[in-house]
Amino acid sequence: MTILAERPTTTFPFPDDTTAPAPAEWRGMERDGVRLLVASPGGVRHARFRNLADHLSPGDLVVVNDSVTEARQLDADLIGRGRVVLHLAQRLDTGWAVELRSAPDASRSVLDAAEGDVVVTAGLRVTLLEPYPDGRASSPTGEGNRLWRARVTGDVTAELERAGRPIAYGYLDRRYPLSAYQTVFGHRPGSAEMPSAARPFTHPLVTELVTRGIQVAPITLHTGVSSQEAGEAPGAEWFEVSETTARLVEQTRYAGGRVVAAGTTVTRALESAVIPATGAVRAASGWTDRVITPANPPYIVNGLITGWHDPQASHLLLVEAVAGPELTQAAYDAAVADGYLWHEFGDSALLLP
């Protein structure tokens, strides 16, 4: 995994005690009942996600990810070492990229596996071939390796249907069903983890957006694992931007509306479809390794719906690139002060620089 030289400037206390322990529905509210912090040059406002349309304008375009989350976490044995948690992180053209984490709750990376090690579940045999993505060992600690290119023997689909569960990292109060990890837009299976920025959308909210003149358009980006340590770049991910969505983006820009990405995944996909020479979006698909940072900023996304990211995470660099470091810092200061909840089932932000 590539280590980034660029680091976020936004600073805040690590939110150990403000992680959302459960999905909104298990906390007694609707999905769109989570909090929404709206940050713009005019200041910071506090709302609920169901009020999203109040903070956008007719002619704006909200772009969402239509990828479906798959059950990619399995209990396994690292032969000769004992129990581990196996993450099937990314389907590759040949084989898989996999991650090993500590049993039973995947709270830590297993960094001392080696080439040739074998991991087994009831239905799969997984042989670690080389560090992923480029064969060079990579770890934020400077020792070991986190992601592996692997040969998988067995029926992956059958094994995931039999024993797979959604990827989780130990900070939830219990395990939740795969349905809790889907958004209302999902219809193309392929993500290892939920494109969580769109989780608070509901059908009534989408209807309200459209009837108020705010368009909604899909892209696809199949997410890999989100467990990057501080300083790690996101891995390559498969994406598709359709001709229809590309046209809507260009029409919105021409008319002076905002292109608001629902999440870092959408931002990455849209910006991967830009023609650098012209700054225009065109239909595109394939693998993207685009990393968006203040030094490598976006061309077209000028609004962002997002959850709250950990200190020094590469996702935070993307937020700073879209919103600017000053607005990002103001948003995080307000979120910490007001007790917003972090991670995939937490609260949201709408950043409008």
Side-chain angles (χ1 to χ4, degrees):
M1 185 64 67
T2 303
I3 303 299
L4 296 171
E6 198 174 352
R7 296 299 177 96
T9 62
T10 305
T11 59
F12 54 96
F14 193 82
D16 281 333
D17 58 347
T18 54
T19 294
E25 305 92 300
W26 278 263
R27 292 187 278 122
M29 68 181 80
E30 299 296 323
R31 284 186 177 221
D32 60 6
V34 299
R35 301 177 71 189
L36 177 70
L37 184 147
V38 183
S40 69
V44 171
R45 288 171 286 174
H46 301 283
R48 294 285 169 179
F49 200 90
R50 64 173 60 98
N51 307 126
L52 177 65
D54 295 336
H55 304 284
L56 298 173
S57 301
D60 288 344
L61 174 66
V62 176
V63 186
V64 298
N65 190 351
D66 65 10
S67 182
V68 171
T69 312
E70 298 183 330
R72 297 276 195 87
Q73 186 176 84
L74 292 162
D75 291 322
D77 285 288
L78 176 56
I79 291 179
R81 292 276 302 279
R83 300 293 284 172
V84 294
V85 173
L86 172 68
H87 288 170
L88 292 169
Q90 194 68 266
R91 284 188 180 89
L92 306 177
D93 293 335
T94 58
W96 284 80
V98 303
E99 180 186 33
L100 304 184
R101 295 188 70 90
S102 59
D105 60 4
S107 60
R108 301 185 319 278
S109 298
V110 173
L111 298 175
D112 57 351
E115 293 181 19
D117 280 352
V118 174
V119 181
V120 294
T121 70
L124 300 178
R125 181 180 179 89
V126 180
T127 304
L128 307 184
L129 300 178
E130 63 176 359
Y132 178 80
D134 57 9
R136 294 178 296 175
S138 173
S139 165
T141 67
E143 297 181 0
N145 184 63
R146 191 174 71 84
L147 288 174
W148 292 91
R149 190 181 299 273
R151 180 175 62 251
V152 179
T153 304
D155 188 331
V156 173
T157 300
E159 183 70 351
L160 292 178
E161 289 177 351
R162 184 192 69 82
R165 59 179 180 267
I167 288 177
Y169 293 101
Y171 48 72
L172 301 178
D173 58 8
R174 65 181 178 86
R175 291 176 178 168
Y176 289 92
L178 185 59
S179 60
Y181 291 81
Q182 309 300 344
T183 74
V184 296
F185 306 107
H187 77 99
R188 300 184 71 181
S191 279
E193 297 194 29
M194 174 174 55
S196 57
R199 190 184 192 279
F201 282 88
T202 60
H203 293 295
L205 175 55
V206 174
T207 300
E208 182 180 9
L209 290 171
V210 173
T211 57
R212 290 172 66 165
I214 300 158
Q215 297 189 86
V216 179
I219 59 86
T220 302
L221 186 138
H222 294 320
T223 69
V225 292
S226 65
S227 55
Q228 289 93 357
E229 307 292 342
E232 280 190 312
E237 295 168 313
W238 191 90
F239 80 101
E240 182 173 20
V241 175
S242 70
E243 180 64 43
T244 300
T245 293
R247 184 171 62 251
L248 285 171
V249 168
E250 288 304 301
Q251 290 172 349
T252 299
R253 297 174 71 204
Y254 180 79
R258 291 174 294 202
V259 178
V260 180
T264 59
T265 63
V266 171
T267 306
R268 191 181 205 194
L270 285 177
E271 296 296 332
S272 298
V274 169
I275 303 170
T278 64
V281 175
R282 86 296 195 200
S285 65
W287 290 89
T288 178
D289 57 4
R290 175 88 154 86
V291 179
I292 299 162
T293 72
N296 189 16
Y299 288 86
I300 58 162
V301 171
N302 51 16
L304 182 65
I305 298 166
T306 183
W308 302 95
H309 303 290
D310 288 345
Q312 297 301 308
S314 62
H315 293 311
L316 196 53
L317 279 172
L318 183 150
V319 175
E320 290 181 352
V322 174
E326 295 82 8
L327 187 62
T328 303
Q329 185 67 65
Y332 272 79
D333 287 345
V336 170
D338 236 59
Y340 277 65
L341 297 180
W342 255 245
H343 291 304
E344 67 266 33
F345 296 131
D347 294 316
S348 298
L350 171 62
L351 305 176
L352 298 172

